[in-house]
Amino acid sequence: MNSWIFLFLACILSGFALIEVPLTDTFLASLSPFTTVVGILTVLIFSLILIYKGVRYLFTTK
């Protein structure tokens, strides 16, 4: 199995962590919209990469 897949899964999990990080009542509260957007983009991009690699693997002939 390709070890890059585990890296992509870790990136998806870190994206979910960025979406859910509680920044209220901290000095980083102004960055909350930024971390949410970056988290959503991370999850979307790496999920699409995993779907693409999975579909490509299904249609390769060996």
Side-chain angles (χ1 to χ4, degrees), residues 1-57:
M1 181 179 282
N2 195 350
S3 63
W4 288 99
I5 291 174
F6 295 118
L7 177 64
F8 294 153
L9 288 174
C11 289
I12 291 171
L13 288 176
S14 65
F16 280 121
L18 277 175
I19 292 170
E20 295 296 323
V21 67
L23 294 176
T24 54
D25 298 331
T26 66
F27 68 96
L28 297 173
S30 63
L31 294 177
S32 181
F34 177 72
T35 59
T36 303
V37 170
V38 170
I40 290 171
L41 287 176
T42 302
V43 170
L44 285 175
I45 289 169
F46 286 103
S47 296
L48 289 174
I49 291 171
L50 279 178
I51 291 169
Y52 170 74
K53 287 195 171 283
V55 169
R56 200 176 83 187
Y57 180 77

